[in-house]
Amino acid sequence: MTAVEKLGFVERFLTLWIFLSMLIGVLLGYYVPEVKDRLGSSKFADVNIPMAVGLIWMMYPILCKVRYEMLHKVMATKQVWKDIGYSVIINWLVAPLIMVILGWATLPDLVEYRSGLVLVGTARCIAMVLVWNRLAGGDEEFCAIVVAINSMLQIGLYGPLSYLFVVIFSRGTHMGISMWPVVQSVLVFLGIPLGGAVFTRLVLYKISPTFYDKKFIRILAPTSLLALLFVIIIMFAMQGHEIVTNIKTVLRVIVPLLVYFTFMFFSVLAFCYYFCVPYKLTVVQSFTAASNNFELAIAVAASVYGEASKEAMAATIGPLVEVPVLLAFVHVLLFIKSNWYDRKTELCGCKED
C-alpha cells in the first residue's frame, strides 16, 4: 500500500475540498459582501472569532498526537540541536531576505503591497506546518519542537526584524510596531491548543493508552482538516470581494509568493536529499522553511496599518497562495518518498525506523 493510499477519505481528496472551500469563500465574499462585516463584528486576539476558533482547533488534534513524554529524549541528541540550528538560520535569516529580494524584483512600484509581502515572509509558521507535516508523514515530535522554538523566537524577534526588513531593507511604509500583537498571537494560536493537547494526553493516555491511540486520536485527527477547510472559507469570504475587484494587483502579488514558496521548499528539500537527511526530518525542514504564520502577519498588518490597508491586503493574499501550493508539495514529498527517497536513505545507511 502506497503512502497516498494510507490516507483517509478527507486527506486523500483534500485538494478538491480546499479548492471547493476557496470557491465557496470567494462567492460568499463577492455576492454577500455584508458577510465581511458580520464576521469581523466580534474579534478574539485581533482575529474574527470564527477564524480564531478554526485556527485553534486546527492545531489541537495534531498536537494531541505528539508524544510529549518522549521530547526530553529527542532533545538529548546532538544531531537534533544541529537540525534546530539549521532550521533557525533558514527561517529567521534566509527566508525573510529572500522575500525582500522578491518584493523588490516584482513589486518595485507597489511599496505598500511590498511591505505586506515582507511581513508575511518574516512571520515564521507555528500552525499550518503541523498540518502539512502530518499529511506528508514528517516527524511530529521534531516538528513540535521547531514550532515551539519559532514561537518563542517570534516574541523577541518579529518586531525588530519586521522593522529591519520592511522599513530599512525593503524601504517600505513606516511602521511603529507593537510587541503585543506578536505575543498575543503566540499565546492564543499556540498556547491554547498546546496547553489543551498536553492536558488531554497526560490525562487520557495515562488512563488508557490503547483507547487514546486506537480510538480517541483516530476520531479526533480528521477534525483538524475540517477546521482547516472552515478557516479557508472564512479567509476567502473576508477578502473575496477585494480579490475579485482588484484581481490585477492580486495577481502581481501572487507571483513573488509563488516563487518564494517554491524556492524555499525545493532548495531545502534538495539540500536535505543531497546530504541524506532522513525523510521525516526532511519533511519538517522543507515545510517550516516554506510556511509562514499568516494569522500573525495579518494581525500585525491590520493593527499597524489598518484592516483596509494595502499592506493588510497583501498579507491576506499570502495564505491564499500558501494553502494550495503547500498542499501540492505534500503530494510531491509523498511521491519522492515512494519513488526515490527510501532507496536513497538505504544507500546512505540512514534508513528510517
Side-chain angles (χ1 to χ4, degrees):
M1 183 179 290
T2 65
V4 175
E5 290 172 340
K6 292 179 183 178
L7 298 176
F9 177 76
V10 176
E11 297 169 330
R12 192 180 301 182
F13 298 99
L14 186 59
T15 304
L16 174 61
W17 309 141
I18 283 181
F19 279 104
L20 286 176
S21 299
M22 292 165 62
L23 178 61
I24 291 171
V26 169
L27 292 176
L28 278 174
Y30 187 75
Y31 290 106
V32 191
E34 61 269 21
V35 73
K36 181 176 181 178
D37 294 330
R38 292 181 180 179
L39 288 172
S41 60
S42 54
K43 293 189 175 183
F44 179 63
D46 292 327
V47 177
N48 68 76
I49 289 180
M51 183 181 289
V53 172
L55 288 169
I56 291 170
W57 191 264
M58 182 180 71
M59 294 184 67
Y60 171 70
I62 301 170
L63 290 170
C64 280
K65 296 182 68 179
V66 176
R67 298 177 297 173
Y68 299 100
E69 66 278 5
M70 299 295 294
L71 290 184
H72 68 285
K73 294 182 179 180
V74 176
M75 296 288 286
T77 62
K78 292 183 179 180
Q79 184 58 47
V80 167
W81 288 103
K82 291 181 181 179
D83 294 333
I84 290 173
Y86 172 78
S87 178
V88 169
I89 292 172
I90 292 296
N91 276 275
W92 292 99
L93 181 60
V94 177
L97 286 174
I98 293 296
M99 189 66 91
V100 170
I101 293 171
L102 290 173
W104 272 113
T106 59
L107 305 173
D109 56 327
L110 299 177
V111 179
E112 296 91 346
Y113 288 99
R114 189 170 71 241
S115 299
L117 196 72
V118 176
L119 280 177
V120 173
T122 310
R124 309 320 302 160
C125 191
I126 65 171
M128 299 292 287
V129 67
L130 293 167
V131 177
W132 311 131
N133 180 70
R134 181 174 72 84
L135 289 174
D139 188 313
E140 295 190 1
E141 279 74 33
F142 180 64
C143 189
I145 292 171
V146 172
V147 165
I149 290 174
N150 278 343
S151 300
M152 296 304 103
L153 289 176
Q154 272 182 0
I155 295 176
L157 295 181
Y158 188 73
L161 285 182
S162 294
Y163 187 90
L164 175 67
F165 290 124
V166 172
V167 178
I168 298 178
F169 285 6
S170 186
R171 295 184 182 178
T173 44
H174 180 73
M175 59 191 305
I177 191 168
S178 168
M179 290 306 298
W180 173 239
V182 183
V183 177
Q184 179 179 250
S185 175
V186 173
L187 292 177
V188 170
F189 298 117
L190 178 66
I192 292 177
L194 178 59
V198 171
F199 178 80
T200 302
R201 184 170 181 88
L202 290 178
V203 173
L204 290 185
Y205 190 80
K206 187 174 183 180
I207 294 173
S208 175
T210 301
F211 169 78
Y212 189 87
D213 289 333
K214 301 297 183 181
K215 293 185 179 181
F216 178 74
I217 288 297
R218 286 188 177 183
I219 295 173
L220 185 68
T223 65
S224 174
L225 297 181
L226 296 178
L228 168 64
L229 298 178
F230 176 74
V231 167
I232 291 171
I233 292 175
I234 298 298
M235 280 196 306
F236 275 75
M238 290 289 291
Q239 295 293 337
H241 190 269
E242 285 76 8
I243 290 172
V244 174
T245 55
N246 298 287
I247 190 64
K248 290 184 178 180
T249 303
V250 169
L251 290 175
R252 284 194 62 184
V253 177
I254 284 175
V255 172
L257 287 167
L258 280 174
V259 176
Y260 170 81
F261 293 130
T262 303
F263 175 80
M264 292 305 301
F265 178 83
F266 282 103
S267 60
V268 173
L269 174 60
F271 177 89
C272 292
Y273 185 82
Y274 180 80
F275 286 101
C276 203
V277 176
Y279 173 80
K280 289 186 176 182
L281 294 182
T282 297
V283 173
V284 178
Q285 296 286 19
S286 299
F287 278 126
T288 52
S291 301
N292 296 93
N293 186 351
F294 63 79
E295 60 270 19
L296 174 60
I298 294 172
V300 170
S303 64
V304 174
Y305 299 111
E307 291 186 345
S309 66
K310 295 177 181 178
E311 291 86 352
M313 177 65 178
T316 304
I317 296 172
L320 308 187
V321 179
E322 178 178 339
V323 171
V325 169
L326 293 195
L327 177 62
F329 292 163
V330 169
H331 295 286
V332 169
L333 279 170
L334 291 174
F335 176 81
I336 289 175
K337 182 180 189 300
S338 60
N339 287 275
W340 300 309
Y341 216 103
D342 287 341
R343 291 195 294 270
K344 169 81 171 180
T345 51
E346 281 185 35
L347 291 172
C348 292
C350 55
K351 185 173 174 58
E352 315 232 17
D353 295 331

